Amino acid sequence: MEKEAGFEAAAVRLDDPWYDEPSPGWDELDGTGSGVPAPAQQGHSAADIYLEVQRSEAFREVRRRYRRFVVPAAVAFLLWYVAYVVAATTAHELMARPVAGAVNVAMVAGLGQFLTTFLLTWAYARHARLRRDRAALDLRWDTQEMTRGIGR
């Protein structure tokens, strides 16, 4: 990345919420001059913190919102895809019916597959932005603060 966009483009912003800071003690020397991490001052391990977050109501709500969109959307899209494939292989007369000039039902349905893929991608991104991203980012910040020993 440094070669293509320059050194400044590869730098990580410190206010980036996805930037992981080193664990406490990594920058401290142990007296021997080596960069060995100092013992952790925290009472909980990172695994305990992540399990606590996973058990929280906020995490369950993010997962519930995700499943409420993804499961019906995936089922609907798969049914639409299977219907298209079955119709293409069994209903030759229907699929060969002209719609406009040389364009037939099979071509319209095939292009409809692409259209629904793009629509589903747009709907997923919109749903994530409006219903999950803020809650997930809040969970991320809380988790990072707990792992740094700050806690709320």
Side-chain angles (χ1 to χ4, degrees), residues 9-80:
V12 176
R13 291 179 33 202
L14 296 179
D15 61 340
D16 184 0
W18 303 110
Y19 173 71
D20 292 327
E21 289 186 10
S23 297
W26 275 98
D27 295 327
E28 301 169 10
L29 298 177
D30 63 353
T32 63
S34 66
V36 177
Q41 306 293 334
Q42 304 172 30
H44 298 293
S45 69
D48 293 336
I49 291 170
Y50 283 104
L51 287 174
E52 179 183 335
V53 169
Q54 187 178 10
R55 292 182 193 120
S56 72
E57 182 57 35
F59 182 82
R60 283 192 293 244
E61 181 61 26
V62 170
R63 296 293 298 166
R64 192 172 16 250
R65 289 177 183 178
Y66 172 78
R67 281 191 294 266
R68 258 189 268 153
F69 179 83
V70 169
V71 171
V75 168
F77 186 78
L78 286 174
L79 286 174
W80 160 230

Side-chain angles (χ1 to χ4, degrees), residues 72-103:
V75 168
F77 186 78
L78 286 174
L79 286 174
W80 160 230
Y81 176 74
V82 169
Y84 171 71
V85 171
V86 169
T89 57
T90 60
H92 299 290
E93 299 83 27
L94 171 68
M95 299 303 265
R97 186 173 298 157
V99 174
V103 177

Side-chain angles (χ1 to χ4, degrees), residues 101-121:
V103 177
N104 60 18
V105 172
M107 292 174 134
V108 171
L111 291 173
Q113 290 287 315
F114 286 104
L115 178 64
T116 55
T117 300
F118 293 122
L119 286 175
L120 185 59
T121 302

